[in-house]
Amino acid sequence: MERPSAVERALREAAPHEIFDVLHALIERRYQTVAVELLMADYAMTRLQPVSVLPQTREPLSVYDTDAGRAFGAQEPYCVKDGHLSTVTVHLPVSVRGDRLGVLSVTLPPGKDEVATDVIDDLQECARALAHEVVVAERDTDLFLQARRAERLTLAAEMQWQLLPGRSCSRIEYSLGAQLEPAYAIFGDSFDWSASADDLTLTVSNGMGEGIDAALLTNLAVNALRNARRAGLSLADQAFLADQAVYGQHQGRQFLSTLLLRFHLPTGDVEIIDAGSPRIWRLRKGVVEPIELDAQMPLGMFEDTSYASQHFTVEPGDRLLFISDGVYDALSPAGERYSLHALAKSITSTRLLPASQVPRTMLQELLGHRGAGPAADDSLVVCLDWHGRPATR
């Protein structure tokens, strides 16, 4: 097959809506494939949706109990032999920098009992190249974004999803995962992250209100924080300028509870400003405990609010969970509040899962408590696994 560089060049030169068609043709020409399919993870991270021109004619696949879902969850290629047709299908994760986008499924022609390692490696390189190009192409085509939705998004949810950096991210020092619910009708909860050579900046927000009003408030605050961060300002000044932007627009009638954190990657020192909620839990050596902070005013509540940073340190092996009020305040059909004990149990029960899978699993457990009725508030879980920077010799 063409070297990865040739595949990447072909994808770069393709029109945004044709990149999968180009890759399909490349793979088909080399392997005489029976089928090549791209499945995108939906916003709720529960289904894998085929990429095709609307309307969809192919049923989505579950991420929990299907072969493609196994590759998606494990983030490893998974081969399945069809004894009746004598074909082998290779399911390959389509991911970029830890952000799980979907699965590339390639069905090879009859006559192969096993797939050679070099073939799997070639196909995995194709899947990686495709992942990078999908992220870029989404700026110019709706094809892949349409494939992500299993149902229609509310306008507020559309605004919120477009605001987010991704749903997972990883590098040597850390792994991040995040999820919002209800995925197709979220209001004001949001998260953002950005990394440089030595710092990771993370914000987790819980905006007041519902619908478009909540989404507009969150968009204002997140973009104000980004504007200040990109200007190179300190964490306290980022909070101050975002506070001024929100107050200037709403005069205290609407405000935003936000955690602002900056992780120093070489040392694990964490600078943090607690401007309201959400709350932080830490799992360290099997022990679950909240991190207590001095709460300060939410962004935009009062004019000229000054913010002060606090510090704590993370150690390799630590897991931090950032959880919004929509989790704590969730009520069962009988009116019982989701208890801190249940939350701690959920944190412990998911301890062996990678950070990218923890938020979805915890929110599924919350749904089991809340029941199938409409949510009174949206819920947010962000999980950060701290690995630390390897020592240099």
Side-chain angles (χ1 to χ4, degrees), residues 205-222:
S205 302
N206 182 9
M208 67 178 297
E210 298 181 359
I212 293 176
D213 288 340
L216 287 170
L217 173 65
T218 302
N219 269 259
L220 172 62
V222 169

Side-chain angles (χ1 to χ4, degrees), residues 5 22 56 63 70 72 88 130 164-165 175 228 290 342 356 363 365:
S5 59
V22 168
Q56 296 277 6
V63 301
R70 178 168 175 171
F72 181 76
V88 177
L130 178 62
L164 301 177
S175 299
S356 59
L363 289 170
E365 293 182 8

Side-chain angles (χ1 to χ4, degrees), residues 126-202:
C126 290
R128 293 193 188 102
L130 178 62
H132 282 271
E133 292 305 317
V134 165
V135 171
V136 176
E138 284 182 344
R139 300 181 304 180
D140 301 307
T141 179
D142 289 335
L143 179 66
F144 304 104
L145 293 171
Q146 287 172 332
R148 292 187 182 195
R149 52 198 71 194
E151 57 189 84
R152 184 170 180 176
L153 291 173
T154 65
L155 178 55
E158 186 86 51
M159 295 166 65
Q160 292 294 73
W161 282 113
Q162 290 300 308
L163 186 66
L164 301 177
R167 284 179 289 186
S168 52
C169 179
S170 63
R171 52 185 276 185
I172 293 175
E173 299 89 349
Y174 62 84
S175 299
L176 269 167
Q179 181 63 25
L180 295 162
E181 282 293 331
Y184 291 87
I186 50 177
F187 306 144
D189 286 2
S190 187
F191 56 87
D192 193 26
W193 55 63
S194 178
S196 63
D198 288 329
D199 293 290
L200 166 68
T201 302
L202 171 67

Side-chain angles (χ1 to χ4, degrees), residues 352-379:
L352 299 180
L353 294 177
S356 59
Q357 294 185 34
V358 170
R360 171 73 266 161
T361 303
M362 290 184 64
L363 289 170
Q364 281 292 106
E365 293 182 8
L366 175 67
L367 181 61
H369 167 82
R370 182 174 58 78
D377 192 8
D378 42 359
S379 303

Side-chain angles (χ1 to χ4, degrees), residues 236-274:
D237 285 340
Q238 292 175 34
F240 176 78
L241 290 180
D243 172 75
Q244 290 297 98
V246 175
Y247 185 85
Q249 184 69 25
H250 297 289
Q251 302 299 306
R253 295 183 299 273
Q254 286 187 280
F255 46 85
L256 194 89
S257 298
T258 302
L259 286 172
L260 298 89
L261 304 99
R262 177 181 286 154
F263 294 80
H264 188 233
L265 301 179
T267 64
D269 177 71
V270 184
E271 179 186 5
I272 182 168
I273 293 174
D274 181 359

Side-chain angles (χ1 to χ4, degrees), residues 368-389:
H369 167 82
R370 182 174 58 78
D377 192 8
D378 42 359
S379 303
L380 163 66
V381 175
V382 178
C383 178
L384 184 147
D385 283 349
W386 183 257
H387 313 307
R389 178 167 291 181

